[in-house]
Amino acid sequence: MRNNTRGLIIHIFVGIIIFFIAYIINLSKIVSSIVYGNIIFRLIICLIPIILYYNFSKIMTKKRTPKLDYLNGNLIILLAIILFLPAFLASGFDIFKESVASNAFKFPFEIFLTPQIYVIKVLNIPYNILTVAIATFAPTFIYGLSIRISREKISKRQRYMRNTRKRYER
């Protein structure tokens, strides 16, 4: 399985986890007012998708060239564009003035980008085309960063083992 497919599966899995976290928080009005009212809790909630993307990307292969590390989430970007086009053509720029999931054309796009849109809404960042574009590229960047750091750890471990082996050969 290629890294793009793995990245898409990870993205869907993270989306499901974030959906359930949001569902549990929004079950009680008191809990939601506490969590969404405090900046510390909002930052913790926003770190959850980043941590999930970072840790789940450890299952991606590191055997490919390092130049392709930051291209592992291209399938997510492609599907987001494909899902965005019908919503944009149906509503135009009014798509960002409507509430989340208020339009039938917009619903698949926002379900697909659940982690990113949830972070945008929790942090009260303006919901526009720029923030959605940046949020769409976020998983790809996190995947690349995680693979790059894992690759460095692997090379350090191999260098350590090589030096240890040379030391005992003398």
Side-chain angles (χ1 to χ4, degrees):
M1 187 183 316
R2 295 183 53 195
N3 275 351
N4 277 328
T5 311
R6 286 185 185 125
L8 179 63
I9 292 169
I10 290 168
H11 175 72
I12 292 170
F13 189 64
V14 169
I16 291 169
I17 291 171
I18 294 301
F19 178 79
F20 282 118
I21 289 172
Y23 179 74
I24 290 170
I25 290 172
N26 292 323
L27 277 177
S28 171
K29 194 78 166 167
I30 297 170
V31 173
S32 64
S33 66
I34 290 171
V35 171
Y36 297 140
N38 190 341
I39 189 71
I40 304 290
F41 286 130
R42 290 191 314 192
L43 288 175
I44 290 171
I45 288 173
C46 294
L47 284 176
I48 290 173
I50 295 170
I51 292 168
L52 289 173
Y53 280 126
Y54 183 82
N55 287 326
F56 285 143
S57 64
K58 301 287 185 194
I59 64 170
M60 292 184 175
T61 182
K62 290 128 189 107
K63 293 180 182 176
R64 297 182 68 185
T65 62
K67 294 178 185 176
L68 301 175
D69 284 349
Y70 290 98
L71 298 176
N72 286 324
N74 284 343
L75 204 52
I76 296 169
I77 297 167
L78 178 68
L79 282 174
I81 291 170
I82 289 171
L83 291 173
F84 176 74
L85 285 177
F88 185 73
L89 293 175
S91 299
F93 282 103
D94 293 337
I95 189 172
F96 300 109
K97 294 177 183 167
E98 301 170 352
S99 64
V100 175
S102 62
N103 186 343
F105 293 107
K106 186 175 157 184
F107 187 69
F109 170 70
E110 290 182 344
I111 287 295
F112 182 71
L113 290 179
T114 298
Q116 290 88 340
I117 292 179
Y118 186 64
V119 168
I120 288 171
K121 290 298 182 179
V122 166
L123 290 178
N124 294 327
I125 298 172
Y127 182 59
N128 56 33
I129 196 162
L130 180 64
T131 56
V132 171
I134 291 170
T136 304
F137 282 99
T140 303
F141 178 72
I142 296 169
Y143 292 157
L145 187 67
S146 175
I147 291 172
R148 187 64 55 111
I149 290 171
S150 295
R151 198 182 299 272
E152 289 296 321
K153 286 181 182 178
I154 290 170
S155 68
K156 281 183 183 179
R157 192 174 333 140
Q158 288 174 346
R159 197 170 34 244
Y160 174 77
M161 294 302 288
R162 195 173 37 239
N163 289 340
T164 306
R165 204 175 315 124
K166 286 180 182 177
R167 196 176 313 142
Y168 286 118
E169 287 176 357
R170 290 181 191 171

